[in-house]
Amino acid sequence: MSEINVTPLVDVMLVLLIIFMVTAPMLSAGVPIDLPDSQAEALKQEADQITVSMDGEGRLFLDDQELAPGELGDRLAGLSRGASPPLVTLRADRGLDYGRVIAVMGALNAAGFKSISLVTNGSATAP
């Protein structure tokens, strides 16, 4: 037989494609959070953005690193900024107290980050 059988190669490539398609969405959501639902349109992803997350217990995370209480302002002040500060996305668990989320937004504002996006799940049944 002088031909190369490519069927096993195609099978392996399809399995790898499925694995990457399943795991890729999991990589973008570092901290597991139960996000609230919303009917808002999705914003475009920007390359220069910072993600602040609050889980159901109220712990704070900056990109995937847990922060100690009161450490958010110091860490944000240490970030290098260009001509304009990067976009900040805030991911907060739906079960958190509204005051705790507003306190984090106040700390972000005091650190000079005026553009804050709240992350939600897209849903057509939100109130």
Side-chain angles (χ1 to χ4, degrees):
M1 184 164 150
S2 62
E3 298 175 8
I4 297 175
N5 189 1
V6 296
T7 304
L9 174 67
V10 171
D11 289 344
V12 169
M13 294 307 290
L14 287 174
V15 168
L16 288 175
L17 177 66
I18 291 170
I19 289 171
F20 285 121
M21 287 173 53
V22 169
T23 59
M26 294 178 196
L27 296 176
S28 65
V31 179
I33 293 177
D34 184 21
L35 295 172
D37 294 330
S38 171
Q39 294 179 355
E41 292 183 24
L43 296 175
K44 294 185 290 186
Q45 292 286 331
E46 294 185 16
D48 187 23
Q49 97 181 20
I50 299 168
T51 303
V52 177
S53 304
M54 296 177 69
D55 67 0
E57 299 170 6
R59 296 181 302 185
L60 267 170
F61 296 85
L62 181 64
D63 288 330
D64 285 334
Q65 300 174 346
E66 186 172 356
L67 300 176
E71 187 182 4
L72 179 63
D74 297 335
R75 292 288 296 272
L76 291 174
L79 293 175
S80 62
R81 297 185 204 155
S84 64
L87 174 70
V88 175
T89 57
L90 179 58
R91 301 175 66 236
D93 193 278
R94 76 171 64 214
L96 283 175
D97 182 42
Y98 182 67
R100 294 177 92 170
V101 177
I102 295 300
V104 170
M105 290 180 71
L108 290 168
N109 195 322
F113 295 93
K114 308 295 183 199
S115 180
I116 303 169
S117 296
L118 299 175
V119 180
T120 61
N121 285 328
S123 172
T125 60

